[in-house]
Amino acid sequence: MKLAQSRVLVTGAGSGLGAQTARHFAGQGAKVVLLDHDIDKARQVADEIGGQAVQANVSDEAAVGRALDEASAHLGGAPRVIVNCAGVGFAARIVGREGKLSFDTFEKTLKVNLFGTFNVMSHAARRLLDEDPTETGERGVIINTASVAFEDGQLGQAAYSASKGGIAAMCLPAAREFAQHGIRVMAIAPGLFRTPMMEGLPEEVSAKITANIPFPPRLGEPDEFARLAEHIVSNPFLNGTTIRLDGAVRLPPR
């Protein structure tokens, strides 16, 4: 599928991986709508790249439906390429100090990361079913964001790892379901990337984290995520799998 002139929706596009993916895709000639809970941040990036911003909490099914309708109106049709980057990274032990449980953290994390991804994928796919296939037989591509934590989650990441593991696990069955309609589903599991979450860490903590990355021995750049997403769009044989993008890192227990 060609990215130039494609109709694109990126969630979590107000910052981090989503913002850079929106920038990169727009630079390749795509028409981009940026969805974020923080509409001001989304509008800032949209103004920068000549895109449009829409607001929604991805865990709210009705709000996502309205946002997809708005995005389709802006683009002149349903988005053909959907990149789900919206997510949260709360950390909490299952049983914390003084026996405090963390069900609230678990619930919120799964609602945003897993349910939110499923919400957007569902609404986007339903609209793609009504689109005509391209000359290659494709109707669209959905790229979801997992994390290396789905395989090597650290202490305190039970909720985060579960949410990202769910995203990785539903990739193949979703791809199989939509294959007959020419819709591909992929997932990217990024490792340690230079995002606002990482940049907010103390320098000594960041240095310790970077030391665990074999090669290249540095944090990943958001543009490297965006370029992999671009390749997934353009390579029609990539379907139904999760790609680790991590510099060969394997996260230690803590």
Side-chain angles (χ1 to χ4, degrees):
M1 198 170 204
K2 295 179 180 178
L3 194 53
Q5 297 303 308
S6 286
R7 303 189 297 266
V8 173
L9 175 74
V10 182
T11 75
S15 63
L17 301 179
Q20 187 55 35
T21 299
R23 292 187 184 100
H24 184 80
F25 280 24
Q28 300 303 306
K31 297 181 286 186
V32 183
V33 169
L34 302 86
L35 186 153
D36 203 284
H37 181 62
D38 189 331
I39 189 62
D40 292 333
K41 287 185 177 179
R43 282 174 178 155
Q44 185 175 352
V45 180
D47 290 344
E48 174 190 333
I49 66 174
Q52 295 284 341
V54 297
Q55 193 275 339
N57 177 346
V58 293
S59 65
D60 183 330
E61 194 270 338
V64 168
R66 291 191 295 270
L68 263 292
D69 286 341
E70 187 178 348
S72 298
H74 284 310
L75 294 169
R80 293 274 197 176
V81 177
I82 298 90
V83 186
N84 277 308
C85 293
V88 294
F90 304 124
R93 292 174 182 252
I94 298 169
V95 181
R97 293 180 180 177
E98 301 176 353
K100 184 181 184 301
L101 303 183
S102 58
F103 180 79
D104 57 338
T105 299
F106 191 88
E107 183 177 42
K108 185 173 182 179
T109 302
L110 263 71
K111 277 187 174 180
V112 175
N113 293 357
L114 181 56
F115 291 11
T117 297
F118 185 86
N119 272 342
V120 176
M121 179 171 65
S122 301
H123 280 281
R126 186 175 68 180
R127 287 160 176 77
L128 280 173
L129 296 180
D130 295 328
E131 293 294 314
D132 293 328
T134 67
E135 64 277 6
T136 61
E138 292 185 87
R139 282 188 168 85
V141 185
I142 300 170
I143 303 171
N144 298 326
T145 303
S147 164
V148 295
F150 92 94
E151 290 187 316
D152 27 285
Q154 297 179 293
L155 188 153
Q157 286 190 322
Y160 184 73
S161 296
S163 70
K164 295 300 186 176
I167 290 171
M170 72 181 178
C171 183
L172 180 59
R176 285 172 165 170
E177 176 179 342
F178 298 132
Q180 61 182 316
H181 304 293
I183 300 170
R184 293 187 288 122
V185 181
M186 287 287 294
I188 300 174
L192 303 167
F193 272 68
R194 193 181 306 281
T195 62
M197 188 185 305
M198 290 295 297
E199 289 175 342
L201 295 175
E203 186 175 340
E204 62 273 13
V205 175
S206 181
K208 184 178 179 180
I209 290 172
T210 305
N212 289 320
I213 305 174
F215 188 84
R218 59 167 174 79
L219 296 176
E221 296 295 341
D223 191 60
E224 291 168 325
F225 177 94
R227 283 189 281 138
L228 177 55
E230 178 193 0
H231 180 72
I232 290 171
V233 172
S234 65
N235 189 332
F237 212 58
L238 282 172
N239 194 17
T241 195
T242 299
I243 300 174
R244 286 184 67 126
L245 183 65
D246 59 15
V249 74
R250 294 299 180 268
L251 302 181
R254 64 174 72 202

